[in-house]
């Protein structure tokens, strides 16, 4: 028997009968609302965020470990890029998702430092939990962190150095790219990769406006070979081939007709039916279609074009006519690639055959089809273009996983070089900037009275977590390494001293030429502090639709 009061706890119930005709009731439990308030909610949120941070902590620095992520489809990704790791993780907790968004924000704005910003946020939350256990209100902690962050951002600007570079002196840009690539899987080839990243950015940079349009840099990957085979192409590379195997594989002094209309007869937009009852009607239809194809090819040929790039496909008849007229063609070229080809060659994208004119054709030194190894993999190279500002980077690797990681690493290096072109101020790496800021924040805590000083001191201790993680990942004693560097910074006043992760015999990061952009480091601290302040001010979590 089920009483009416018990039925209130169930949303649905069904009356069923067993094999003997005896009735029984099937009931589903009701979803209810889960609510966490006050300190319980804050600690729960901090725990979720710190779990994400701890997962990335071992990936920080040049000796950081890599993570292997396997998707539901079995795709394997091996990387130590913080943003990539978090994007590919199955994250359910709402606060943990905020940590993922934090890393994505750093990646979108700066392009590097995605692991460091999450580790710093986790360290701040760890200190916040200690202060909450002491009975300090979350708002006071948030205010103290805010003051400390402002001090750090201002102090970073004070200790930052300016680097001088030009189109003829790219050494500072190259050193910055080397620092970024030093912590990646591709660090064995970091010299070549840094050169490629620097040259690619400098080729498309607007030196007057100090800006870089990344849309002009195309990252393309092809499995086969090694990372050492990665090359910078002064032009555009697309993963296509000639539409017919008998077409020439290379065209010198190419004049490109870039089309967004297909090589086929026009089709009415209304529904129609055509009944052919005699052989004469069929011949007339075939002749009309043939004339359409002939006219299309003639319009292209008359314009002076010797290569056709088409966004759409075309059938065998059109392909055969193009071959007969010695007009090499490339079909099914994507919209973005089509735009890049138009930018690089100075051509116009033509929507109709009737609008083809010689003035709308693009030009480049050569269009050639390249075959890789003994496989059937082929790619089209558009080289020696009129507009050299459009470039491509062809990444090679033994498997798709290595190729994708190479592309991610090069993208990070390019972003750092771009940031340095925008703002030529740098701070030194190896945790030296964090240690210097921690010492400055401790001085601030000593000058501030009241409860806020505890939060400010907690911020300084959180900054120490970055150099400690670098030392730990490099196989050193974290506490001993941090104490030594701190003592030397205090004694000498040299803010460039950091953790010697690479065992080069000096702690001076300026001598090691390990540095990163000022705006990247400032962004790390501001984003991490903003997220921690938001998490601390959440004191009520209501989850609707949870099962009891």
């Amino acid at each position: 028997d089920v009483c009416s009061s018990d039925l209130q706890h169930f949303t649905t119930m069904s009356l069923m009968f067993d094999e003997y005709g005896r009735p029984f009731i099937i009931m589903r439990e009701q979803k209810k609302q889960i609510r966490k308030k006050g300190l319980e909610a804050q600690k729960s949120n901090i725990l979720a965020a710190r779990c994400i941070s701890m997962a990335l902590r071992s990936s920080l620095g040049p000796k950081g470990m890599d993570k292997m992520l396997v998707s539901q489809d079995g795709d394997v990704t091996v990387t130590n890029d913080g943003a990539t790791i978090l994007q590919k993780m199955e994250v359910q907790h709402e606060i943990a998702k905020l940590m993922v968004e934090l890393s994505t924000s750093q990646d979108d704005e700066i392009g590097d430092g995605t692991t460091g910003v999450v580790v710093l946020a986790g360290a701040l939350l760890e200190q916040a939990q200690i202060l909450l256990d002491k009975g300090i209100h979350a708002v006071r902690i948030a205010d103290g962190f805010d003051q400390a962050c402002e001090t750090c951002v201002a102090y970073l600007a004070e200790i930052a150095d300016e680097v001088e570079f030009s189109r003829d002196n790219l050494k500072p840009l190259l050193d910055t790219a080397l620092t970024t690539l030093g912590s990646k899987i591709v660090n064995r080839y970091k010299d070549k990769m840094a050169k490629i990243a620097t040259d690619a950015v400098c080729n498309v940079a607007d030196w007057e406006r100090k800006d870089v349009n990344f849309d002009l840099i195309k990252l393309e990957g092809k499995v086969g070979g090694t990372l050492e085979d990665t090359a910078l192409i002064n032009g555009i590379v697309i993963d296509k081939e000639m539409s017919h195997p008998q077409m020439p594989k290379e065209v010198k002094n190419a004049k490109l007709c870039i089309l967004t209309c297909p090589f086929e007869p026009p089709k009415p937009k209304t529904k129609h039916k055509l009944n052919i009852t005699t052989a004469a009607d069929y011949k007339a239809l075939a002749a009309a279609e043939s004339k359409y194809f002939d006219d299309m090819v003639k319009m292209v040929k008359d314009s002076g074009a010797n290569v056709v790039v088409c966004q759409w496909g075309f059938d065998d008849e059109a392909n055969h006519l193009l071959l007969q007229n010695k007009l090499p063609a490339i079909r099914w070229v994507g919209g973005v690639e089509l735009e890049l080809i138009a930018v690089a060659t100075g051509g116009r994208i033509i929507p109709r055959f009737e609008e083809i004119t010689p003035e709308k054709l693009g030009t480049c030194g050569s269009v050639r089809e390249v075959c890789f190894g003994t496989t059937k993999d082929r790619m089209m190279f558009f080289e020696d273009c009129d507009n050299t500002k459009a470039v491509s980077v062809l990444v090679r690797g033994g498997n798709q996983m290595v190729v994708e990681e190479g592309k991610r690493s090069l993208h990070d290096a390019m972003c750092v070089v771009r940031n340095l072109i925008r703002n030529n101020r740098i701070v030194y790496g190896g945790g030296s900037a964090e240690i210097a800021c921690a010492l400055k924040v401790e001085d601030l805590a000593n000058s501030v009275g009241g409860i806020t000083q505890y939060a400010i001191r907690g911020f300084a201790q959180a900054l120490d977590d970055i150099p400690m993680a670098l030392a730990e990942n490099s196989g050193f004693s974290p506490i001993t390494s941090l104490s030594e560097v701190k003592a030397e910074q205090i004694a000498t006043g040299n803010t460039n001293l950091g953790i010697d992760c690479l065992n080069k015999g000096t702690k001076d990061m300026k001598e090691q030429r390990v540095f990163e952009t000022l705006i990247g480091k400032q962004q790390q601290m501001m984003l991490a502090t903003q997220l921690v302040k938001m998490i601390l001010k959440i004191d009520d979590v209501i989850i609707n639709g949870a099962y009891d």
Side-chain angles (χ1 to χ4, degrees), residues 326-371:
K326 298 180 180 180
L327 201 58
I330 308 160
R331 56 186 169 184
W332 297 118
V333 180
V336 176
E337 293 175 334
L338 208 69
E339 291 176 5
L340 275 175
I341 293 171
V343 169
T345 62
R348 296 280 297 275
I349 297 176
I350 304 170
R352 287 186 293 274
F353 285 94
E354 293 77 13
E355 297 182 12
I356 299 176
T357 60
E359 295 78 18
K360 294 181 180 179
L361 301 181
T363 57
C364 65
S366 70
V367 176
R368 61 190 179 99
E369 181 182 292
V370 178
C371 182

Side-chain angles (χ1 to χ4, degrees), residues 522-540:
Q522 289 177 329
Q523 187 81 3
Q524 272 189 9
M525 293 191 179
M526 289 189 291
L527 286 178
T529 306
Q530 287 171 8
L531 178 66
V532 170
K533 284 172 58 183
M534 184 176 68
I535 292 175
L536 287 175
K537 291 185 177 181
I538 299 173
D539 72 336
D540 204 343

Side-chain angles (χ1 to χ4, degrees), residues 446-511:
N446 294 332
S447 64
V448 173
I451 295 176
T452 307
Q453 67 175 304
Y454 293 100
I456 296 174
R457 208 176 301 278
F459 193 97
Q461 292 174 359
L463 288 173
D464 289 342
D465 200 55
I466 298 292
M468 287 179 70
L470 290 172
E472 186 177 346
N473 293 341
S474 301
F476 305 143
S477 170
I479 297 176
T480 304
S481 300
L482 176 65
S483 302
E484 290 176 355
V485 176
K486 262 194 170 183
E488 288 188 36
Q489 278 208 18
I490 294 171
T492 63
N494 185 0
T495 59
N496 303 333
L497 300 177
I499 306 296
D500 183 16
C501 300
L502 301 177
N503 282 323
K504 289 191 174 180
T506 176
K507 296 185 178 68
D508 194 328
M509 296 296 111
K510 189 172 184 178
E511 291 182 16

Side-chain angles (χ1 to χ4, degrees), residues 210-330:
K210 293 186 176 181
D211 194 19
V212 178
N213 183 3
F214 268 18
D215 292 337
L216 298 176
I217 302 176
K218 188 174 190 297
L219 273 173
E220 191 67 60
K222 178 63 70 172
V223 175
T226 66
L227 282 167
E228 195 173 9
D229 299 324
T230 300
L232 175 66
I233 312 297
N234 287 321
I236 303 299
V237 178
I238 61 174
D239 195 4
K240 299 293 177 184
E241 59 186 82
M242 291 295 184
S243 61
H244 197 287
Q246 295 180 5
M247 288 178 176
K249 304 304 180 186
E250 183 173 6
V251 179
K252 295 286 187 180
N253 298 320
K255 294 184 178 180
L256 282 75
C257 182
I258 306 168
L259 299 172
T260 55
C261 48
F263 271 95
E264 61 182 23
K267 297 178 181 178
K269 294 184 179 180
T270 57
K271 292 183 179 180
H272 63 284
K273 183 184 289 186
L274 180 64
N275 293 322
I276 299 175
T277 56
T278 64
D281 291 342
Y282 178 78
K283 289 179 180 179
L285 177 63
E289 285 191 351
S290 180
K291 187 176 184 306
Y292 270 119
F293 285 127
D294 290 338
D295 291 344
M296 290 173 185
V297 174
K298 186 175 184 301
M299 290 176 190
V300 176
K301 197 74 175 176
D302 290 346
S303 68
N306 54 9
V307 177
V308 176
V309 181
C310 187
Q311 185 177 12
W312 305 102
F314 34 81
D315 59 18
D316 292 340
E317 185 175 355
N319 208 11
H320 182 68
L321 280 172
L322 289 167
L323 176 64
Q324 279 186 330
N325 285 272
K326 298 180 180 180
L327 201 58
I330 308 160

